[in-house]
Amino acid sequence: MEPHFWHQRWQSARIGFHQREINPHLRACWQHTGAPPNTEVLVPLCGKSRDMYWLAEQGHAVAGFELSPLAIADFFAEAKLTPKREPSGLFVCWQHEPFRLYEGDFFHADALGRQFDLAYDRAALIALPATMRPAYAALLARLNNPGGRVLLVTVDHDAQAPSPPFAVNEAEVRTLFEPCFEVALLAHLEEGARNRRVAAGECTFFDEWCFLLTRR
């Protein structure tokens, strides 16, 4: 998962991971974060996710991190917003309230010196191969204040294709995050044949999991 992989995906519009609808786990489970409306939400590897619109509708500011400038440009164009762009450390910050989207490698987010009380991850952890997930979990821990909460959505499946979304089951989530977070399972959805990969014979099951992580 080198940067050029994601740049190529956006340049060729191979973005099957992008959801046109608001994620149902976000709608159903966000209340468990207990978040005050004005709290800023960290969204790693945000792409042009429509989930960020929903968070803004709940009164939140959004701090997204995205490698591809095409994804960020699409997000603001589809929202009919014209952002300001300015350097911010190792990043370029695209800003139009309530959105600040940082163009650059999320693994350098430490350099901004920012910390958060809320985060939302639908497609970041499952976009990373196993070798990169421990570093991601450690970075998320550093970026969250004590007591900070993360709503995490993962998937589990038995597809053999070595490409995202990767399977990250409950056991792996606990291994990755329990050293620094309390981990609570909020929802488990077995999609079965309703999932297009199962229907196409790419895998025999495809499950979605939603967790609440609370920074110790």
Side-chain angles (χ1 to χ4, degrees):
M1 299 301 106
E2 295 296 326
H4 71 83
F5 171 87
W6 294 107
H7 286 304
Q8 289 176 351
R9 291 288 290 265
W10 282 99
Q11 289 166 0
S12 60
R14 291 186 296 123
I15 53 172
F17 49 83
H18 175 67
Q19 292 184 342
R20 295 184 178 274
E21 304 298 329
I22 305 303
N23 185 270
H25 294 297
L26 175 60
R27 289 185 185 274
C29 297
W30 186 249
Q31 60 182 323
H32 293 284
T33 65
N38 60 349
T39 311
E40 188 173 31
V41 182
L42 165 66
V43 185
L45 283 63
C46 63
K48 60 174 184 176
S49 174
R50 294 178 182 270
D51 292 347
M52 293 189 285
Y53 301 154
W54 187 89
L55 290 167
E57 288 170 357
Q58 312 315 303
H60 296 294
V62 175
F65 285 79
E66 171 55 43
L67 193 62
S68 170
L70 293 178
I72 298 176
D74 281 356
F75 173 81
F76 283 109
E78 291 173 10
K80 296 181 171 56
L81 298 175
T82 302
K84 295 180 181 178
R85 296 176 58 191
E86 57 185 22
S88 182
L90 299 174
F91 297 84
V92 175
C93 182
W94 301 51
Q95 180 176 344
H96 189 296
E97 295 301 330
F99 305 105
R100 287 184 176 86
L101 302 191
Y102 294 91
E103 175 195 336
D105 186 344
F106 177 64
F107 283 90
H108 296 153
D110 271 347
L112 292 176
R114 301 202 58 198
Q115 287 189 298
F116 300 86
D117 293 318
L118 281 175
Y120 170 61
D121 173 353
R122 181 196 69 82
L125 182 66
I126 60 176
L128 301 173
T131 55
M132 297 180 70
R133 290 174 209 152
Y136 172 82
L139 175 57
L140 208 58
R142 294 195 300 273
L143 292 175
N144 273 269
N145 289 315
R149 294 187 168 186
V150 181
L151 192 71
L152 170 67
V153 179
T154 72
V155 299
D156 187 21
H157 57 75
D158 60 351
Q160 299 303 309
S163 61
F166 296 109
V168 182
N169 61 23
E170 181 179 7
E172 183 173 356
V173 168
R174 293 189 179 279
T175 297
L176 288 169
F177 291 101
E178 281 188 336
C180 295
F181 293 87
E182 294 178 8
V183 178
L185 175 62
L186 299 180
H188 175 208
L189 174 64
E190 297 179 2
E191 289 195 352
R194 291 174 297 171
N195 184 272
R196 63 180 179 83
R197 292 178 177 85
V198 175
E202 297 176 15
C203 52
T204 63
F205 71 93
F206 195 99
D207 297 351
E208 291 188 358
W209 302 76
C210 184
F211 302 89
L212 179 66
L213 314 179
T214 303
R215 183 71 167 92
R216 299 184 194 278

